[in-house]
Amino acid sequence: MSGVNDIRSTFLDYFRKNGHEVVASSPLVPRNDPTLMFTNAGMVQFKNVFTGLESRPYSRATTAQKSVRAGGKHNDLDNVGYTARHLTFFEMLGNFSFGDYFKEQAIELAWNLITKDFGLSKDKLLVTVYHTDDEAADHWKKIAGFSDDRIIRIATSDNFWAMGDTGPCGPCSEIFIDRGEHIWGGPPGSPEEDGDRFLEFWNLVFMQFDQPEPGVQVPLPRPSIDTGMGLERMASILQGVDSVFETDLFKGLIEATASVLGKRPEAGNVASYRVIADHLRSSCFLIADGVLPSNEGRGYVVRRIMRRAMRHAQLLGASEPLMYKLVPALVREMGSAYPELVRGEALITETLKLEETRFRKTLARGLGLLADATETLGAGDRLDGETAFKLYDTYGFPLDLTQDALRQRDIAVDTAGFDAAMERQKAEARASWAGSGEAATETIWFGVRDRVGATEFLGYDTETAEGVV
Ligand code: ATP
Ligand code: MG
Ligand code: MG
Ligand code: MG
């Protein structure tokens, strides 16, 4: 069986043998890039190399990159626990060409790795290409011997990859595997494509453009290659399991949770175990990279992730803080590949313990209020914004935690009402300050307050409005 550690090294070794420099993962907080909340793909650390602003002593590279998709353009927070393939933290394996090889060789390298080294059966594989990309389609036909029906042309942004609203981008070709009829889902482009039967595991991006500002595309100085393969997804394929949560690494984390709680996962609660394992990884890796829970920006995202996990721990009947007790299991599974976890273990443990101890004080009461407020509600109903705001303001419930709590009962939250309640509270606070006579101080105070509020709001908007590209 191929464990995640073997798969990671097989990938990196393969590209090293093919002339690629093995480069370390960059931190989860992108350096000098305020446009991006977290590193969400392998190409992020090479952004300026693609655009020609920066040069490196190599023109081919390969990485295993820590990635978080829980905010900003690529946000999978709401998918975790509900699909078989989405995590908020995952490792993206990638190979990169900076003006060196292009489409044909990228496809050839990928094909040889998956069919020879990883031994995937050709009959189960299929690919997508951007609808106008005849070149990529021809290469697939020639290299893989695919018939036309296994090369699916897609016209949406799914096959035009972009890091964010600005930065390098280009048409892409995604590789899928059909895992069989026992899993719900249809091929890409079909109405059932969101299912997990046809699993996308590798995206080959043909970097051709830079977007200096949203909507403007200029050709890159040299066409380049950027690819991303989800390590956990490849592990699920090679280990013959139906979801990333059943791979060796996640089994270890879920086992650790079960042993701390003294109870086994069952059909009715397995999603909570999965959410906890995923959120543990993203929280710990973010803290190790210096993102501490706070009320704004990146720190608020990590707080939201941690609190969501804590609600699931509560659901599983945890009678005391749980997350910090799982840190040793994570360090055991991933500490050798990521020594920052070992170095940060004490800080991570303390941060989780403090946050959970604090939040548990209001969590149970907040959940009680939520239960009362939704007692008479049923599927298709909406919780009023006032209550959601009270949960946020008084009990420390991030809006998405409340939404997550109600999702299983198919109850939505009136987010416009929530925003209005937030605005009203701000206005009231302003009014009660009026007349203190210190105009200058007030302006500064409300300036800061508005900015902090705005940051939080942006977090919510970005999530609900943009979704995943
Ligand atoms: P999906 O359509 O399944 O959401 P994506 O098209 O958004 O995936 P890409 O942006 O193409 O993903 O990222 C490259 C690869 O990284 C994917 O092919 C997949 O293997 C992996 N990947 C992307 N998002 C996640 C995630 N949330 N959890 C685990 N692996 C992921
Ligand atoms: Mg996709
Ligand atoms: Mg993709
Ligand atoms: Mg996605």
Side-chain angles (χ1 to χ4, degrees):
M1 189 182 81
S2 320
V4 292
N5 290 320
D6 307 321
I7 300 171
R8 191 191 299 112
S9 52
T10 301
F11 186 99
L12 297 175
D13 280 349
Y14 172 85
F15 282 104
R16 190 177 42 74
K17 281 185 217 132
N18 281 286
H20 294 64
E21 177 87 8
V22 180
V23 178
S25 172
S26 65
L28 285 168
V29 177
R31 288 196 188 96
N32 306 325
D33 195 343
T35 67
L36 201 59
M37 181 157 276
F38 299 120
T39 300
N40 58 16
M43 57 76 62
V44 169
Q45 67 166 316
F46 301 116
K47 180 181 159 182
N48 290 340
V49 187
F50 285 118
T51 55
L53 279 175
E54 190 190 326
S55 68
R56 299 273 172 117
Y58 42 82
S59 60
R60 298 175 175 203
T62 183
T63 59
Q65 174 66 50
K66 301 182 277 189
S67 304
V68 165
R69 295 192 172 182
K73 190 178 185 73
H74 295 269
N75 182 3
D76 288 328
L77 189 55
D78 291 329
N79 285 323
V80 175
Y82 297 95
T83 74
R85 68 185 195 279
H86 287 108
L87 300 164
T88 55
F89 172 93
F90 63 99
E91 289 180 72
M92 192 184 284
L93 302 170
N95 59 290
F96 307 90
S97 150
F98 310 115
D100 190 276
Y101 59 86
F102 198 46
K103 283 182 199 179
E104 182 173 9
Q105 203 179 343
I107 290 174
E108 198 166 7
L109 281 166
W111 185 248
N112 286 335
L113 175 65
I114 58 179
T115 56
K116 294 189 184 136
D117 298 60
F118 287 144
L120 302 188
S121 125
K122 186 183 147 181
D123 313 335
K124 292 186 180 159
L125 299 172
L126 60 156
V127 296
T128 60
V129 296
Y130 195 51
H131 63 136
T132 52
D133 197 350
D134 294 330
E135 227 177 32
D138 287 345
H139 293 315
W140 276 119
K141 212 180 250 185
K142 199 180 89 218
I143 293 163
F146 280 152
S147 50
D148 287 331
D149 61 329
R150 305 269 291 283
I151 305 172
I152 301 171
R153 288 171 185 261
I154 303 280
T156 65
S157 61
D158 272 353
N159 278 71
F160 198 91
W161 202 89
M163 178 192 84
D165 292 333
T166 60
C169 58
C172 66
S173 179
E174 300 190 320
I175 312 179
F176 287 72
I177 188 162
D178 178 0
R179 298 196 285 178
E181 279 169 10
H182 66 289
I183 306 178
W184 182 83
S190 75
E192 296 85 29
E193 69 174 350
D194 284 338
D196 287 307
R197 172 174 166 184
F198 290 84
L199 177 72
E200 171 195 334
F201 62 90
W202 204 353
N203 189 357
L204 314 181
V205 184
F206 311 125
M207 287 288 188
Q208 277 170 285
F209 305 103
D210 183 28
Q211 296 197 77
E213 51 188 282
V216 178
Q217 284 172 7
V218 294
L220 285 177
R222 294 175 305 171
S224 295
I225 291 295
D226 152 36
T227 85
M229 173 196 284
L231 170 59
E232 300 79 0
R233 292 191 189 181
M234 182 47 80
S236 72
I237 295 168
L238 294 178
Q239 294 174 19
V241 293
D242 293 345
S243 89
V244 291
F245 300 102
E246 291 155 82
T247 55
D248 58 325
L249 196 156
F250 275 92
K251 265 202 250 165
L253 297 179
I254 288 173
E255 194 51 50
T257 312
S259 104
V260 173
L261 289 173
K263 65 160 84 155
R264 316 287 322 158
E266 307 157 3
N269 65 19
V270 68
S272 289
Y273 283 90
R274 293 175 170 190
V275 170
I276 290 170
D278 169 74
H279 290 13
L280 175 78
R281 293 209 313 165
S282 44
S283 309
C284 293
F285 273 95
L286 284 167
I287 295 168
D289 278 351
V291 186
L292 295 175
S294 75
N295 278 337
E296 59 172 326
R298 295 184 173 113
Y300 194 54
V301 178
V302 79
R303 168 161 285 165
R304 283 161 47 208
I305 295 173
M306 288 161 69
R307 292 190 172 180
R308 274 171 90 114
M310 290 164 194
R311 186 186 73 87
H312 284 278
Q314 173 96 1
L315 280 184
L316 292 177
S319 54
E320 47 188 70
L322 167 79
M323 301 287 284
Y324 80 96
K325 293 186 186 151
L326 305 175
V327 177
L330 180 66
V331 172
R332 207 161 47 235
E333 298 284 349
M334 302 191 72
S336 57
Y338 294 98
E340 62 268 41
L341 281 183
V342 182
R343 282 197 301 273
E345 186 168 355
L347 173 71
I348 294 168
T349 306
E350 275 313 301
T351 307
L352 284 170
K353 194 172 174 185
L354 187 66
E355 183 77 9
E356 197 165 3
T357 306
R358 280 193 188 145
F359 186 49
R360 283 185 65 86
K361 293 207 176 101
T362 56
L363 176 61
R365 278 190 289 143
L367 288 174
L369 174 81
L370 184 62
D372 290 346
T374 57
E375 205 178 343
T376 57
L377 302 185
D381 288 341
R382 268 197 329 178
L383 174 71
D384 64 288
E386 285 294 332
T387 305
F389 181 69
K390 185 167 182 198
L391 285 166
Y392 163 83
D393 197 39
T394 311
Y395 298 95
F397 280 35
L399 178 60
D400 64 280
L401 185 154
T402 302
Q403 290 169 320
D404 188 46
L406 296 176
R407 180 165 162 170
Q408 263 195 336
R409 292 166 60 197
D410 196 19
I411 299 173
V413 177
D414 173 12
T415 52
F418 176 90
D419 292 351
M422 173 91 89
E423 272 310 311
R424 205 185 47 242
Q425 196 206 48
K426 275 193 209 162
E428 281 167 13
R430 250 191 215 102
S432 70
W433 268 69
S436 76
E438 295 178 48
T441 324
E442 277 176 39
T443 316
I444 294 165
W445 161 249
F446 286 114
V448 171
R449 200 188 153 87
D450 282 346
R451 255 194 297 121
V452 172
T455 318
E456 293 187 9
F457 262 48
L458 204 70
Y460 296 136
D461 287 350
T462 327
E463 252 176 53
T464 42
E466 284 183 11
V468 179
V469 170

